[in-house]
Amino acid sequence: MSQYYDLGDRTLWNPSTGASRLFLREVAVFEAELGVPSGLGPMENDACEVDPAALGVFVDALVDRHRRIRHAVVHALSEGFAAMMLVLAERAGVGVRWESAESDPAAAAHDVQAGPAVGCLSQVAADRALRRKAQELSRFMAV
């Protein structure tokens, strides 16, 4: 069995039911964390309609939050989900805002690591790594 994430008559992703169930649970977690709807409609009859405008707002908020994480464990927990959402955004034709969080003085770091300092990549390198992870993951996200 599989499920469909569709934008009109175009399928963006066709995962197994188990992968989809886990993914939708993560979606709910990040919707609650961000306070923003994902743009993914309810799963009905093994299909979920994607709202590209809402998806864009969600992915922008997710990427912005991910870029400001300074906690190794939280970063690891969110990286795969962020990469998956980037794949869906790309397939939906949704542009992602990649402005630097450092350029916004009001944007404080999220989830700062306590204890030993965590080696962080430069923002440019971290963005490249997230994009690379999304590209790699895209190969495994069946359409």
Side-chain angles (χ1 to χ4, degrees), residues 44-138:
E44 296 174 342
N45 299 318
D46 291 327
C48 169
E49 189 63 32
V50 177
D51 173 350
L55 177 66
V57 171
F58 181 76
V59 172
D60 282 345
L62 180 65
V63 167
D64 181 59
R65 182 183 188 280
H66 184 73
R67 296 175 88 232
R68 293 184 283 133
I69 293 170
R70 300 293 180 256
H71 190 289
V73 173
V74 175
H75 190 272
L77 288 169
S78 68
E79 184 177 40
F81 180 75
M84 291 179 70
M85 293 306 297
L86 285 172
V87 172
L88 287 179
E90 179 180 324
R91 290 178 179 178
V94 173
V96 177
R97 192 181 65 228
W98 287 97
E99 291 89 32
S100 173
E102 288 100 29
S103 67
D104 179 1
H110 275 284
D111 298 311
V112 177
Q113 180 81 40
V118 176
C120 292
L121 298 172
S122 73
Q123 195 61 64
V124 171
D127 288 351
R128 278 191 202 128
L130 183 58
R131 286 179 174 140
R132 190 170 34 255
K133 185 167 189 75
Q135 288 171 342
E136 291 168 4
L137 191 56
S138 180

Side-chain angles (χ1 to χ4, degrees), residues 22-35 58 81:
L22 288 172
F23 173 70
L24 288 174
R25 288 183 177 149
E26 283 191 281
V27 167
V29 166
F30 281 94
E31 284 176 328
E33 284 291 313
L34 298 170
F58 181 76
F81 180 75

